[in-house]
Amino acid sequence: MSTPYLETHPDERGYFGKFGGSFIPPVLEEPFAQITQAYQELKHSPEFIKELKYVRKHYQGRPTPVTFAKNLTEYCGGAKIYLKREDLNHTGAHKLNHCMAEVILAKHLGKKKVIAETGAGQHGVALATAAAYFGLECEIHMGEVDIAKEHPNVVRMKILGAKVVPATHGLKTLKEAVDSAFDAYVKDPINAIYCIGSVVGPHPFPMMVRDFQSVIGFEAKEQFDEFEGKLPDNIVACVGGGSNAMGIFAAFIDDTDVNLYGVEPLGKGEKLGEHAATLTYGEEGIMHGFNSIMLKDAEGNPAPVYSIGSGIDYPSVGPEHAYLNQSGRSKIGLCNDEEAVDAFYKLSQLEGIIPALESAHAVAFAMKLAKTLDKDKTILVNLSGRGDKDIDYVIENYPVPHAKF
Ligand SMILES: *Cc1c(COP(=O)(O)O)cnc(C)c1O
């Protein structure tokens, strides 16, 4: 599915305004050109569309529902809060939407192996799942810190048959995992393909991943109409690299009455190193092969970042988010660790839905926003994933609050 905006963005060179592009070593120019060409062909191929529809319906469990969060809405006392339930997508998050499609593309290109980075382990699990389904080898790079924190996902990847490679340099989190995966790919670009885990990286990945994720927005638009008979007034999604947010935004960018909020993690505070609020505090710069807004240290290198949500602690952001934000089409929401944990428990105890800590950032911001709006207004939150992976970490560090609400 498409819209006038999606048809015209990015431009042919992969630019959203001045953001995006492709800054890659010469050895990758040919493989990336092949990927771009294969995608342009596949995009319009009836077989590809048919295969993708088939796996979405009969394997992933799509469409995922939209749920009216009645109790949370009453608790907040303002705008109505709806949830797009990507937590119910197979493997527990939105990531499988682009992984299944990326692996079909890899197969089409005759690749034997898929390589990727992972933060919270969700992308790794999703890609290992897709690789198992389509019969390809899978190698996942993950920061040592995240390996310790996200133990269940590491075990899942191994059970699914993937090789997990620890990234042991620097802060040992998501950025280092990307460096490590990129190095592995550069060594074997003929047999392998790098399946990027978000709307980041060199062209065509920001466009491709957005298009594959846009199923979230197109489904939600129809489902929301069944409830309300109109468009949502506000859409809220957390932003790490920005794929779940672009996925839900995609269907609404041309509907200029719909406010689009990308929520950034404020972590422990506003100082560099305490957060990963890239659009809020960052500046223009090139990292991981694309031009966007990034958080830089004093030397101009990617700054250390932090968030309680392992999947959203990334020092850059998808170029399309930088573009939409600077053009004023999208807005930034902020949420710190404490607010995210509060929302994690509120959604669990008021709605019976345990959200991923990443998604809890979107819920927390929606709760703040709802309180400022009239009861006839609506907010559609992209609940990007479920919190099973986070329960041990949360319970050890933030005891269950007495439910007084
Ligand atoms: C990976 C992940 C994110 C962050 O990635 P985006 O590309 O910004 O969507 C958010 N929520 C969950 C549950 C994730 O697994």
Side-chain angles (χ1 to χ4, degrees):
M1 272 183 265
S2 204
T3 68
Y5 169 88
L6 296 177
E7 287 301 320
T8 48
H9 296 77
D11 68 17
E12 274 182 16
R13 288 156 55 242
Y15 279 90
F16 303 91
K18 61 179 171 171
F19 301 112
S22 178
F23 300 83
I24 49 178
V27 45
L28 291 185
E29 273 167 21
E30 181 58 31
F32 267 78
Q34 275 174 11
I35 294 171
T36 306
Q37 200 196 340
Y39 176 62
Q40 294 301 357
E41 286 165 18
L42 280 184
K43 195 177 160 181
H44 303 290
S45 144
E47 288 97 84
F48 174 71
I49 294 165
K50 199 172 148 203
E51 186 167 13
L52 202 52
K53 275 193 179 159
Y54 180 93
V55 294
R56 281 175 175 167
K57 181 169 176 190
H58 300 290
Y59 181 70
Q60 286 182 235
R62 303 205 69 90
T64 58
V66 163
T67 300
F68 173 45
K70 181 169 172 287
N71 301 328
L72 189 68
T73 296
E74 274 170 19
Y75 172 79
C76 294
K80 289 193 227 176
I81 301 174
Y82 288 87
L83 310 168
K84 175 62 172 166
R85 303 289 307 280
E86 291 304 296
D87 58 315
L88 295 177
N89 200 29
H90 180 45
T91 74
H94 67 288
K95 299 235 168 55
L96 199 62
N97 297 332
H98 66 251
C99 286
M100 292 304 274
E102 281 180 338
V103 177
I104 296 175
L105 182 88
K107 250 189 5 173
H108 180 83
L109 285 165
K111 304 290 179 186
K112 307 268 177 301
K113 181 170 161 183
V114 291
I115 297 179
E117 83 295 340
T118 195
Q122 295 298 97
H123 179 55
V125 168
L127 191 63
T129 300
Y133 182 86
F134 290 110
L136 264 67
E137 266 180 75
C138 179
E139 182 179 299
I140 303 295
H141 296 249
M142 187 170 188
E144 256 184 353
V145 169
D146 292 332
I147 288 183
K149 192 167 154 197
E150 307 287 354
H151 180 69
N153 273 344
V154 176
V155 176
R156 272 182 204 112
M157 285 186 270
K158 289 183 179 166
I159 289 174
L160 289 162
K163 182 175 160 199
V164 180
V165 180
T168 55
H169 67 291
L171 285 180
K172 303 172 188 160
T173 62
L174 186 57
K175 187 214 152 259
E176 290 76 21
V178 177
D179 297 338
S180 172
F182 225 81
D183 288 348
Y185 175 50
V186 169
K187 287 187 188 124
D188 190 14
I190 306 292
N191 290 309
I193 182 168
Y194 187 173
C195 291
I196 294 178
S198 188
V199 285
V200 299
H203 179 64
F205 280 94
M207 168 182 74
M208 248 168 43
V209 173
R210 173 202 68 192
D211 291 352
F212 296 150
Q213 288 293 348
S214 67
V215 65
I216 301 175
F218 286 111
E219 280 178 12
K221 198 173 195 172
E222 250 183 70
Q223 293 165 318
F224 189 86
D225 188 69
E226 279 174 36
F227 280 101
E228 294 279 343
K230 59 173 185 172
L231 293 171
D233 298 303
N234 303 281
I235 292 188
V236 175
C238 67
V239 175
S243 66
N244 88 86
M246 275 321 306
I248 195 156
F249 288 0
F252 299 94
I253 297 173
D254 289 318
D255 303 307
T256 48
D257 289 344
V258 180
N259 298 310
L260 308 174
Y261 287 96
V263 182
E264 297 200 307
L266 200 48
K268 293 183 181 129
E270 293 175 10
K271 273 195 252 138
L272 201 64
E274 291 182 337
H275 62 80
T278 307
L279 289 170
T280 308
Y281 297 108
E283 47 187 308
E284 191 174 341
I286 296 169
M287 192 183 111
H288 293 150
F290 64 104
N291 184 43
S292 186
I293 301 291
M294 61 183 271
L295 290 165
K296 294 180 186 176
D297 66 13
E299 280 87 56
N301 296 316
V305 282
Y306 164 81
S307 164
I308 193 173
S310 305
I312 46 179
D313 58 355
Y314 185 59
S316 185
V317 67
E320 196 165 11
H321 283 290
Y323 170 69
L324 291 173
N325 183 246
Q326 287 207 346
S327 69
R329 179 63 192 94
S330 70
K331 299 181 170 76
I332 302 172
L334 284 168
C335 165
N336 63 28
D337 280 7
E338 239 168 77
E339 293 167 322
V341 171
D342 177 61
F344 175 92
Y345 276 120
K346 292 273 171 18
L347 196 70
S348 297
Q349 300 186 359
L350 287 170
E351 299 290 344
I353 299 169
I354 303 176
L357 280 172
E358 294 82 3
S359 324
H361 285 72
V363 176
F365 179 76
M367 288 167 63
K368 292 193 274 190
L369 182 64
K371 288 173 193 171
T372 69
L373 298 173
D374 290 340
K375 288 184 175 173
D376 63 340
K377 295 291 180 202
T378 56
I379 303 173
L380 174 62
V381 180
N382 195 13
L383 200 71
S384 53
R386 60 178 175 244
D388 304 33
K389 67 186 179 60
D390 298 313
I391 54 176
D392 290 338
Y393 182 82
V394 171
I395 206 85
E396 270 164 35
N397 295 281
Y398 301 89
V400 180
H402 291 292
K404 282 206 210 95
F405 37 85

